[in-house]
Amino acid sequence: MTNRVPPGPKGLPLVGSIFPWMRDQPQFLLETYQRYGEVVRFQFLGFRGAILHGAEANRYILIDAVDNFLVGPVIDRARARWIVGKGILFIDEPEHLQQRRLILPSMHRKRIEVYQRVMREVTTQILDRWQPGVEINVASEMDDLALIIEGRTLFSMDFSGTEHALSDAVAVVTRTMNDAFRIAFAQLPFDVPGIGYGHSVRKAISRIKAILEEIIARHKREESDTGDIVSMLVAARDEDGNRLSANQIMDHLLTLFVAGHETLANALTWACYLLAQQPQVTSKLLSELDEQLGGQPPSPADLERLPYLEQVVKEVLRIYPPAASLSRIVREPFDWKGYTFQAGDIVMYSPYVSHRMPEQFSDPEVFRPERFDPVSGEKHPSGAFIPFGAGPRTCLGAPFAMMELKTVLAMILQRFRLALVPNQRVEATVRTTLQPRYGLLMRPHLRDW
């Protein structure tokens, strides 16, 4: 950045504001926006840049000037490429567009409707183990549910047992990806308990690659569509006959697995948390479910007749979006709000703050699904609501996520009323995605209304 310097927190020498950022990223983002405005300077461990807030900034970064904001260099600067590979979230053009086209058929609407049968089966499996009045950690339950769904839809593998080599290895890698310090210390080839786990991560990555190589090779040998995403990626061809390599398929599968599992588990947990505090919203939603479904699990066609359910899910994603913030590296200089940014500068945007800006969402702290009613709801500026991003890098899995969130939430409410266990701390924290720091304790009760 040159010329005028944006306002922002001073921070500490050398480390900047890394400690308040790591302690409570959502609060740091919101408080610095409220104090400094729509352009906020930051410094984290020598990394310097600015956070651009608001719908206009989101559109500029994600749509209008998308080619000027790169993802790959962010990963390379963090020295995390050896961990995350070149999955679809971590590459730039032209590779991104070419590989996105090859992946897209696996997320086609007709394909997702096939996956929805798995979603219903797994949800029934999880709900059948709940005992009325017996305390459960909903965060853990939704984690199990999302993990099993991901295993079956991605790989045709059953992760419902207490241990599974692939899911266990992915968990090791995910814990390191969650933390900038752990990524830094993972560069060391040995473990430092409580700080970095370089040896464990390398062992886990080797295990993941070995398992995925075997899965991909089996699909190639059999040349059959087993109904999972691996089948689609192995068979994918573009108009020129190009196909994904085994390494590309592995990277994309790992990215889809981690991002999809975490996003869905946390969104479902937040939905249970918010609805437990909003009996009027829950009652209105149950009326819609009872009228349209008659006690049966929803089919894909049924979901089209549940507009209030969609509004509820969108409001959950507004208050607790999957990502609190995301980063890009500037390709060429640009001016924004009176400030000049140079090539190589770090620029961030924040769905968490965007969804809480009162000029974009009235009473932003209030849980009000009706704001998304297409007829009588609020009119939000383009770029204000970005739980799955926007533009050419919009999340490929968004239709899958929306179908799973609506299916699972409907089935939970049809069978149980979830009550919060009193006197527990519920705080949002950022690991890979926005999730409850201490889990979420609730008691399921059979429906009594």
Side-chain angles (χ1 to χ4, degrees):
M1 292 173 287
T2 60
N3 302 334
R4 293 174 58 210
V5 177
K10 185 176 180 180
L12 299 172
L14 300 179
V15 299
S17 301
I18 189 66
F19 293 121
W21 170 266
M22 293 183 65
R23 183 169 56 247
D24 193 337
Q25 184 188 141
Q27 193 65 20
F28 176 88
L29 290 164
L30 195 58
E31 288 182 352
T32 53
Y33 158 69
Q34 292 168 342
R35 181 172 181 180
Y36 300 108
E38 293 186 2
V39 182
V40 180
R41 183 189 75 253
F42 69 82
Q43 177 188 345
F44 304 136
L45 292 173
F47 293 100
R48 293 178 174 84
I51 312 168
L52 310 186
H53 291 297
E56 185 182 3
N58 297 337
R59 289 197 307 273
Y60 187 73
I61 294 169
L62 298 174
I63 301 174
D64 299 339
V66 63
D67 290 339
N68 199 41
F69 298 95
L70 304 177
V71 175
V74 176
I75 304 302
D76 296 332
R77 283 195 192 182
R79 298 184 179 180
R81 179 68 67 189
W82 67 279
I83 300 176
V84 303
K86 291 190 174 183
I88 193 65
L89 294 180
F90 310 117
I91 56 177
D92 294 301
E93 306 306 345
E95 293 85 3
H96 174 265
L97 179 59
Q98 187 260 337
Q99 293 185 41
R100 185 182 177 94
R101 287 172 175 166
L102 288 166
I103 298 170
L104 198 57
S106 67
M107 294 293 170
H108 188 274
R109 179 180 177 82
K110 291 297 183 183
R111 193 75 179 189
I112 294 173
E113 289 180 356
V114 175
Y115 304 149
Q116 204 253 5
R117 176 181 57 80
V118 174
M119 299 172 189
R120 295 196 306 268
E121 291 174 357
V122 175
T123 303
T124 299
Q125 175 184 340
I126 296 295
L127 297 184
D128 282 348
R129 72 190 193 189
W130 292 4
Q131 299 297 316
V134 177
E135 182 180 300
I136 57 173
N137 184 341
V138 168
S140 177
E141 293 293 297
M142 294 302 100
D143 187 81
D144 285 353
L145 181 147
L147 178 68
I148 298 169
I149 290 174
E150 290 290 306
R152 289 184 56 182
T153 55
L154 279 170
F155 316 114
S156 296
M157 296 177 73
D158 186 1
F159 290 166
S160 60
T162 55
E163 294 185 6
H164 194 284
L166 179 59
S167 59
D168 291 347
V170 169
V172 172
V173 174
T174 302
R175 282 195 294 271
T176 292
M177 289 168 59
N178 290 339
D179 189 315
F181 276 133
R182 288 193 173 187
I183 290 175
F185 279 98
Q187 310 303 321
L188 301 173
F190 49 84
D191 289 352
V192 182
I195 299 177
Y197 296 88
H199 174 71
S200 295
V201 171
R202 285 167 175 79
K203 184 177 178 181
I205 290 174
S206 295
R207 186 62 178 144
I208 290 167
K209 288 183 176 179
I211 294 172
L212 292 183
E213 281 175 356
E214 195 280 326
I215 293 171
I216 294 165
R218 185 177 70 247
H219 278 74
K220 287 183 175 180
R221 285 194 308 270
E222 296 174 355
E223 294 185 347
S224 61
D225 185 351
T226 57
D228 55 22
I229 291 174
V230 181
S231 299
M232 297 292 288
L233 298 187
V234 167
R237 304 286 188 279
D238 64 16
E239 58 271 18
D240 298 320
N242 297 315
R243 60 194 298 178
L244 294 167
S245 69
N247 283 335
Q248 288 171 333
I249 293 174
M250 276 194 290
D251 286 347
H252 294 320
L253 286 173
L254 183 58
T255 299
L256 293 170
F257 183 53
V258 173
H261 168 220
E262 297 256 326
T263 295
L264 294 165
N266 294 321
L268 288 166
T269 300
W270 290 124
C272 293
Y273 171 66
L274 291 166
L275 287 174
Q277 301 171 82
Q278 302 288 336
Q280 290 183 322
V281 172
T282 303
S283 179
K284 180 176 178 179
L285 179 54
L286 280 169
S287 295
E288 178 181 81
L289 297 177
D290 289 344
E291 179 180 344
Q292 295 296 330
L293 303 179
Q296 296 299 309
S299 68
D302 291 331
L303 295 176
E304 299 297 322
R305 303 196 304 272
L306 300 169
Y308 194 60
L309 175 61
E310 174 143 343
Q311 293 165 34
V312 167
V313 169
K314 285 183 175 180
E315 182 70 339
V316 171
L317 293 170
R318 182 189 69 82
I319 293 181
Y320 293 111
S325 65
L326 298 104
S327 302
R328 300 286 192 268
I329 299 292
V330 177
R331 183 198 295 267
E332 297 178 356
F334 74 99
D335 294 326
W336 188 259
K337 304 289 184 181
Y339 303 103
T340 299
F341 296 86
Q342 297 296 334
D345 285 346
I346 302 173
V347 167
M348 298 173 61
Y349 66 98
S350 172
Y352 186 84
V353 172
S354 181
H355 295 178
R356 282 169 166 74
M357 295 174 70
E359 59 269 37
Q360 297 180 169
F361 298 92
S362 64
D363 302 317
E365 298 302 322
V366 176
F367 183 74
R368 188 167 62 230
E370 289 80 4
R371 72 174 79 243
F372 287 104
D373 188 309
V375 177
S376 58
E378 301 172 358
K379 304 304 178 186
H380 308 126
S382 173
F385 182 62
I386 52 169
F388 299 113
R393 297 189 70 99
T394 299
C395 175
L396 277 167
F400 182 106
M402 288 298 293
M403 182 166 286
E404 181 170 333
L405 293 174
K406 290 189 286 185
T407 298
V408 175
L409 189 57
M411 292 179 67
I412 291 174
L413 292 175
Q414 284 176 313
R415 288 183 59 176
F416 293 104
R417 173 178 61 84
L418 289 172
L420 286 166
V421 172
N423 303 318
Q424 64 174 309
R425 292 178 65 185
V426 180
E427 297 177 6
T429 188
V430 176
R431 295 193 178 110
T432 306
T433 53
L434 197 63
Q435 56 192 269
R437 185 186 299 270
Y438 309 107
L440 183 66
L441 302 179
M442 306 187 81
R443 287 192 177 91
H445 301 278
L446 295 178
R447 277 188 58 185
D448 54 6
W449 69 83

